[in-house]
Amino acid sequence: MRKIFILMVSMLGATWLQAQTITFNPEAFTAEDEVIVTVDATGTPMAGKPEAYIWIWANKDAAGGQIDGLTNGSDFKNSKAEAKMTNKGGNIWEYKFTGTVMFGVDPGRLVHLQLLIKTKDGGAQTPDSKKFNFDPIVFVPSPFRVFPDKVGEDDVVTVNFHQALAPTTAEQRMTPQTVTVKLFDKDNVQIGDVKTWNVKSDGNGAFSYSFIPSITWTIPAGKKAGKFSYRFDGIGKDVTGNTVTVTGTTTEKTIDALK
Amino acid sequence: MRTNLLILIALIITFAGCKPETLPDIGDPLNKIQLTEGNWQLERVVQSDVNAVKYNFPYKELDVTSVAPFSEFKLSLKLNDGKPGTFTTNAGASPKIIKLTDGKWEVDDLNSPLSFNLIKNTDTVKMQFGSYNTLSQGKLQLSLIKSLGAKNLIRYDYYFKKI
């Protein structure tokens, strides 16, 4: 039992040790935007290293396959000079790039990127980052769409349902009636009550509803809205012709701190 | 020979018909700042997705006037010796599209203003002038850009009428 406990503590410690903080400026960016990535290597094997090199790749597990950054070169044990990062003090490292230039492909092909930082010889490195999405530059139709694509808690938010693209047959066949929306704070705690509104038909199988989060809900002092979920419901017919309620697919949308 | 003579006569008649004309005065240039002074009431709000506009997506903008009682929002602009002076806002039941209730307003250029800033102490609401052409008809267009970091994401066009 004691060994298991020690093992668990070691694993947690290892996880903490691997922690790295990655931020982008601007926070939201397309493949055509110049972006500065900042990595805080504190608590990672790269802490205290005199030099750092970026190792970056895009579209892992995405359609079309992974695309390596052109600054990676072919040898992980010998990073190219172009990949050298700028030290901003202590364990903070910075690198400026544009997606299309870094990956050498058309912007429409880039979905997301990941990166790590390393020594030139690869003797030390941070773990693979999570995936960071590029904002789309081509419109991709989807059944559930929020306008505008990025919203803040004080903005007018319009949720849209394009029925022809609905993921289930029941949703494709139902008569949309309502949209149900829940608001959550940054800690994923629901704010206020669930709101259900009648949807507006925009024609051509499109339905929508608009609201302003900070007016619809009272956001507690010191809290910020972090996301909302929404679901379009309707009525349909079962196999015997009886009217039934159709519960739609729930979709979530992040609320950003727009200024 | 006869043809040439006819052409010569036609040319003489044509040039003889010419006389100097004086062009009418185009008048004084529009004083945009003077026209901006007054009490304004919001009558229309259009929201645009900056990224969607840039990349020509099918859904670029939306008239959101009916989403909330925006038309209750009032803006009063005063001049000080012919230059931008003080302002007050009264949101009523409207969303506070301008968070400041009073202060001073400034523009970047008195003759051709582009930026329009509302200032109270250290807080500044940065907006932009829309078309000048509608000012003389009692219409004021101001635009507000919302950003995430350095990236512009949402544009609001506010259309005011003079009251």
Side-chain angles (χ1 to χ4, degrees):
Chain A
M1 184 65 193
R2 191 179 167 199
K3 285 180 180 174
I4 293 173
F5 177 73
I6 291 170
L7 182 65
M8 285 176 66
V9 170
S10 303
M11 288 173 70
L12 281 171
T15 306
W16 175 80
L17 192 68
Q18 296 291 314
Q20 62 182 332
T21 307
I22 300 177
T23 54
F24 290 90
N25 186 17
E27 290 177 51
F29 53 91
T30 71
E32 293 183 328
D33 290 331
E34 185 175 81
V35 60
I36 296 172
V37 59
T38 303
V39 180
D40 182 353
T42 305
T44 77
M46 283 299 292
K49 298 294 181 191
E51 290 184 337
Y53 292 77
I54 193 168
W55 190 266
I56 188 168
W57 60 99
N59 292 12
K60 184 180 181 183
D61 304 322
Q66 182 173 316
I67 305 167
D68 287 322
L70 296 177
T71 57
N72 287 2
S74 56
D75 187 359
F76 188 78
K77 292 181 179 176
N78 185 20
S79 281
K80 295 169 75 172
E82 301 96 290
K84 191 172 181 180
M85 302 179 79
T86 304
N87 185 260
K88 303 305 282 186
N91 293 316
I92 312 293
W93 297 93
E94 201 174 88
Y95 194 83
K96 187 190 289 185
F97 68 96
T98 302
T100 49
V101 177
M102 171 60 81
F103 298 105
V105 297
D106 291 335
R109 282 190 59 195
L110 293 170
V111 182
H112 47 65
L113 67 85
Q114 288 173 269
L115 61 93
L116 58 81
I117 68 169
K118 60 187 279 292
T119 52
K120 185 174 178 67
D121 63 3
Q125 67 174 84
T126 60
D128 294 0
S129 75
K130 66 171 187 173
K131 290 170 180 165
F132 296 95
N133 287 334
F134 288 102
D135 276 356
I137 66 155
V138 290
F139 179 73
V140 180
S142 69
F144 309 106
R145 179 177 60 85
V146 174
F147 185 89
D149 186 49
K150 295 279 189 297
V151 291
E153 63 184 27
D154 295 326
D155 289 306
V156 177
V157 176
T158 302
V159 289
N160 297 272
F161 173 48
H162 297 274
Q163 194 172 16
L165 305 171
T168 67
T169 307
E171 287 170 280
Q172 289 171 7
R173 291 177 178 170
M174 73 178 180
T175 303
Q177 304 269 298
T178 60
V179 61
T180 298
V181 182
K182 294 180 191 176
L183 186 69
F184 299 88
D185 67 15
K186 297 283 185 193
D187 299 320
N188 233 9
V189 176
Q190 188 178 333
I191 295 172
D193 53 359
V194 179
K195 304 290 184 188
T196 298
W197 298 294
N198 292 328
V199 296
K200 176 170 72 84
S201 173
D202 299 318
N204 295 322
F207 301 84
S208 66
Y209 190 83
S210 300
F211 60 96
I212 301 173
S214 62
I215 287 181
T216 306
W217 287 272
T218 301
I219 298 172
K223 296 281 184 184
K224 288 282 180 187
K227 68 175 183 181
F228 66 91
S229 70
Y230 63 104
R231 188 190 73 222
F232 286 88
D233 298 331
I235 54 171
K237 299 285 185 186
D238 66 12
V239 288
T240 59
N242 293 320
T243 299
V244 293
T245 301
V246 177
T247 302
T249 304
T250 299
T251 308
E252 289 188 347
K253 182 72 179 176
T254 300
I255 294 178
D256 293 302
L258 268 58
K259 290 179 180 173
Chain B
M1 185 65 191
R2 191 179 169 196
T3 308
N4 288 343
L5 186 64
L6 286 172
I7 292 172
L8 184 65
I9 292 170
L11 283 171
I12 290 168
I13 292 171
T14 302
F15 284 114
C18 293
K19 59 181 178 182
E21 284 185 29
T22 53
L23 292 170
D25 195 345
I26 59 171
D28 294 328
L30 205 62
N31 188 328
K32 288 100 179 177
I33 299 303
Q34 205 165 43
L35 289 169
T36 306
E37 183 195 28
N39 298 316
W40 301 92
Q41 183 162 11
L42 191 57
E43 62 174 359
R44 185 167 168 244
V45 182
V46 175
Q47 181 192 48
S48 303
D49 185 319
V50 173
N51 203 49
V53 171
K54 181 179 179 183
Y55 293 108
N56 197 28
F57 286 6
Y59 304 101
K60 300 180 186 69
E61 64 175 38
L62 192 63
D63 188 324
V64 296
T65 313
S66 63
V67 175
F70 284 108
S71 58
E72 289 195 21
F73 193 93
K74 291 174 184 168
L75 170 65
S76 177
L77 299 169
K78 287 189 168 54
L79 293 183
N80 181 10
D81 197 19
K83 294 178 181 174
T86 58
F87 78 90
T88 56
T89 63
N90 182 358
S94 164
K96 290 176 180 162
I97 62 163
I98 297 167
K99 304 280 185 190
L100 306 177
T101 54
D102 62 88
K104 61 177 182 177
W105 60 289
E106 289 180 352
V107 296
D108 57 339
D109 185 328
L110 292 175
N111 295 319
S112 303
L114 179 62
S115 67
F116 175 92
N117 294 337
L118 298 168
I119 302 162
K120 176 71 181 281
N121 299 326
T122 56
D123 293 329
T124 302
V125 176
K126 294 182 177 177
M127 305 179 90
Q128 287 189 326
F129 260 99
S131 170
Y132 301 142
N133 297 333
T134 57
L135 277 173
S136 56
Q137 298 154 27
K139 304 280 184 184
L140 170 67
Q141 182 193 342
L142 297 173
S143 302
L144 178 73
I145 304 282
K146 296 189 76 174
S147 311
L148 187 59
K151 175 95 170 172
N152 293 338
L153 293 170
I154 303 176
R155 174 190 169 113
Y156 286 96
D157 288 309
Y158 299 113
Y159 297 86
F160 292 86
K161 65 178 176 185
K162 202 162 226 177
I163 54 174

